[in-house]
Amino acid sequence: MTRFEVVRDPLWNNIRLDPDALAVVDTPAVQRLRYVRQLGHAFLVYPGATHSRFEHALGAYHLARRVLDALEDAGDVRTDPAERARLKLAALLHDIGHYPFSHALEEAGLPRHEALAARHLTSGALADRLTELGTPAEQLLPLIRGEARGPLAGLVAGSLDVDKLDYLSRDAWMCGVPYGVIDVDRLLAALTVAAGPDGRATLALHEKGLAALESLLFAKYQMYRNVYWHHAVRSATGMFKRLVRCAIAGRRLSPDAVALATDDGLIHELMGDDPTGLARALRERRLAKRALDLPATDLPAVTPAWPSADPDLLERVEDRLAHEVGLAPGELFLDFPAKPDMLALDLPLVKRDGAVTQLVGADAGAHLGLPRVAAELYRSARRLRVFVIGRAAVPAKGIVDLVMAPREDVAARLEQGRSLLTNG
């Protein structure tokens, strides 16, 4: 008789762990995820948002099992046991390299968490278990990194992957907000396999699942607007990024140590030697306040990427701005988060008559309402904010002009010692 365990989950009720999953779950690398919160500092706003990457990993694994079962029951695909094992384990381990405190440290300039998965999958007890199971790291990493080309690779990394289905549903549930309501059952029932643009078989959606897909896109928009980019969450994120960057620059922490830490372990290390005072301020929820808060709809439709893509330049800009408004370095944070692919789609649609079309770019608007207004929804979710510790007057026009300036111009003004808030 096959041995398995059932884990009770507040979102999906019962999650059944098969022998392959059980073999890896109790390794130190996977258990570390119990102590890495899924939503970083969101618990400072939504007290229930203390759920972990471990819970999310189990949820993604559970949904991968459900999708594979549904596809096989429908006769859409036949997977051999080795492929099923790879897909389920990749779903379970997709966040194995994740940093503490959500994506803040990626914003701070550290490598993306997918790039860190290899160190966990290729050494230690987890690597030993995977080798014993016949699914070594080189079989899982392409799936986790979105580089695999198999017909079901989109289950792990794609427009409609199990990661999104779990985190949007779980985050909304644990925050206690109604924004992440997704018809997951309908979506899973509507998944199939069809030819992609290159003729290769890939994960696809039956036309009957369009309404459920639209619910997912709208949930994503609402969660970014109301939870992930909530002003207090972004204030804490800005403070935390500066705190860790200062610790690394001062050699009080190494990037490797940060990558392997847990939330509480990292905060403990930071509080032990914190010349910035930001660690204790975060612990006591003394957050930087908004000195400026503008909707992106007040800005031109196309904005330079440097405020979100160049953390080194951003830090220099923040400290120069702090000086210009009468604050000390590290007392001002400029925040303009970006996720231009927030509502992007790229998967085949199987129509009721069997014809296959591609849900991508403008073509998606022929079948769904949201993609037609995706650009405006994205702009309405974004905010340009300046957070300060203390009191300071921050001129809106000067900040907008600065953010709209090309990266090269901003860097030149810094090098030349020119003001960032005027054109002089």
Side-chain angles (χ1 to χ4, degrees):
M1 185 174 180
T2 301
R3 185 175 72 92
F4 66 89
E5 296 287 345
V6 173
V7 175
R8 297 286 290 179
D9 181 69
L11 184 63
W12 306 122
N13 194 11
N14 290 328
I15 294 178
R16 175 172 164 164
L17 299 176
D18 63 19
D20 286 358
L22 288 171
V24 303
V25 158
D26 284 334
T27 60
V30 178
Q31 288 296 308
R32 168 185 167 270
L33 298 180
R34 288 184 183 272
Y35 311 104
V36 176
R37 292 189 189 93
Q38 175 79 5
L39 289 187
H41 287 95
F43 73 96
L44 295 176
V45 179
Y46 299 98
T50 56
H51 54 300
S52 70
R53 292 275 160 189
F54 182 79
E55 297 162 60
H56 168 55
L58 294 183
Y61 163 85
H62 169 72
L63 292 178
R65 281 191 55 148
R66 287 181 58 185
V67 172
L68 290 168
D69 289 344
L71 289 172
E72 293 201 350
D73 289 346
D76 292 339
V77 68
R78 287 287 179 263
T79 56
D80 61 62
E83 183 182 9
R84 281 182 64 95
R86 283 193 297 273
L87 289 165
K88 290 187 294 182
L89 286 174
L92 178 65
L93 300 172
H94 76 281
D95 272 349
I96 194 67
H98 219 290
Y99 294 100
F101 292 99
S102 194
H103 294 275
L105 296 178
E106 293 171 339
E107 291 184 30
L110 296 184
R112 290 184 56 82
H113 70 274
E114 293 90 349
L116 302 182
R119 78 166 67 188
H120 297 278
L121 299 181
T122 58
S123 63
L126 177 56
D128 294 342
R129 298 292 182 278
L130 293 175
T131 300
E132 293 166 5
L133 295 171
T135 52
E138 56 266 26
Q139 295 182 10
L140 299 180
L141 286 170
L143 287 164
I144 291 171
R145 293 171 177 167
E147 299 166 353
R149 301 296 298 275
L152 297 181
L155 276 181
V156 181
S159 293
L160 200 50
D161 56 39
V162 293
D163 174 30
K164 293 182 185 67
L165 290 175
D166 185 83
Y167 85 68
L168 287 169
S169 301
R170 188 174 301 279
D171 292 352
W173 180 266
M174 300 306 291
C175 288
V177 299
Y179 310 127
V181 178
I182 302 167
D183 193 347
V184 173
D185 289 342
R186 184 66 167 175
L187 273 176
L188 298 187
L191 288 175
T192 185
V193 173
D198 60 0
R200 295 172 181 262
T202 188
L203 194 68
L205 186 74
H206 280 296
E207 191 171 5
K208 65 183 180 181
L210 281 174
L213 175 59
E214 196 144 43
S215 78
L216 180 145
L217 293 175
F218 192 65
K220 196 173 184 184
Y221 157 73
Q222 288 276 33
M223 289 298 288
Y224 270 93
R225 179 170 183 169
N226 295 288
V227 177
Y228 308 145
W229 289 348
H230 185 282
H231 66 88
V233 175
R234 293 306 303 175
S235 173
T237 300
M239 295 168 67
F240 180 70
K241 289 189 294 183
R242 173 59 69 96
L243 172 62
V244 174
R245 283 177 60 88
C246 287
I248 292 174
R251 300 187 183 277
R252 296 185 298 278
L253 280 176
S254 70
D256 282 349
V258 171
L260 294 173
T262 61
D263 284 20
D264 287 344
L266 180 55
I267 283 295
H268 177 77
E269 290 294 323
L270 291 167
M271 289 188 69
D273 185 2
D274 176 27
T276 69
L278 292 173
R280 183 161 298 280
L282 282 169
R283 177 66 89 181
E284 297 173 357
R285 203 187 183 279
R286 290 182 284 109
L287 303 181
K289 303 303 182 185
R290 285 173 288 176
L292 182 69
D293 190 342
L294 297 174
T297 48
D298 286 356
L299 278 63
V302 179
T303 58
W306 67 261
S308 62
D310 192 337
D312 294 334
L313 178 63
L314 179 64
E315 182 173 315
R316 294 171 61 203
V317 165
E318 289 173 340
D319 285 349
R320 177 68 65 81
L321 288 173
H323 173 74
E324 292 187 24
V325 300
L327 297 174
E331 292 187 342
L332 181 147
F333 310 98
L334 175 65
D335 188 60
F336 195 30
K339 190 174 178 63
D341 62 346
M342 178 189 293
L343 301 177
L345 286 173
D346 187 3
L347 77 162
L349 175 70
V350 181
K351 296 185 177 181
R352 298 186 192 281
D353 61 3
V356 179
T357 187
Q358 196 70 11
L359 287 175
V360 62
D363 294 339
H367 306 281
L368 294 163
L370 275 180
R372 302 176 202 167
V373 293
E376 287 306 307
L377 286 175
Y378 172 56
R379 290 179 69 204
S380 72
R382 294 183 79 195
R383 310 284 299 192
L384 170 60
R385 298 180 175 115
V386 175
F387 301 102
V388 297
I389 296 173
R391 292 182 177 274
V394 177
K397 184 179 186 307
I399 295 295
V400 171
D401 289 346
L402 172 65
V403 167
M404 292 306 303
R407 181 200 179 283
E408 296 75 16
D409 290 358
V410 175
R413 287 159 72 177
L414 285 168
E415 293 297 332
Q416 296 163 10
R418 294 161 50 202
S419 172
L420 296 180
L421 291 174
T422 68
N423 291 322

